[in-house]
């Protein structure tokens, strides 16, 4: 788990497993956006429960998960390795 920004959200944020084949879990009630290395949004979802399982159908590579709540955003990277 690699954080690009210090966690300033109202609760803990965890992304696991990392690396992942294609399915991973984000803990917390947040707005989740996933970007590829070109800066394109490839996934967006509002997580409304304690854990959200994301099935990311994307090629192998590094992706950036933007997790937002209350005008604060944390960026973590996820590695997809099939």
């Amino acid at each position: 788990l690699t954080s690009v920004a210090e966690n300033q959200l109202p609760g803990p944020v965890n992304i696991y497993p990392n690396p992942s084949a294609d399915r991973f879990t984000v803990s917390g009630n947040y707005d989740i956006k996933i970007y590829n290395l070109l800066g394109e949004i490839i996934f967006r979802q509002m997580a409304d429960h304690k854990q959200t399982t994301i099935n990311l159908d994307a090629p192998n590579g590094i992706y950036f998960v933007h997790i937002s709540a209350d005008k604060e955003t944390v960026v973590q990277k996820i590695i997809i390795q099939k």
Side-chain angles (χ1 to χ4, degrees):
L1 185 65
T2 303
S3 290
V4 176
E6 189 174 319
N7 187 351
Q8 298 296 319
L9 297 175
V13 174
N14 293 307
I15 298 176
Y16 57 90
N18 191 6
S20 170
D22 59 2
R23 176 176 277 179
F24 57 94
T25 301
V26 177
S27 64
N29 297 333
Y30 304 115
D31 182 31
I32 301 167
K33 295 180 201 168
I34 301 176
Y35 292 80
N36 63 18
L37 289 176
L38 298 175
E40 301 166 328
I41 296 176
I42 62 166
F43 179 89
R44 183 173 188 171
Q45 180 176 336
M46 182 64 183
D48 57 358
H49 36 291
K50 293 183 180 180
Q51 292 187 339
T52 300
T53 300
I54 297 171
N55 190 7
L56 188 63
D57 185 23
N60 288 350
I62 297 172
Y63 297 87
F64 294 96
V65 182
H66 291 232
I67 304 162
S68 304
D70 301 328
K71 298 182 184 178
E72 299 291 338
T73 300
V74 169
V75 179
Q76 297 183 348
K77 74 177 178 181
I78 184 81
I79 299 170
I80 300 298
Q81 188 175 355
K82 298 178 185 181

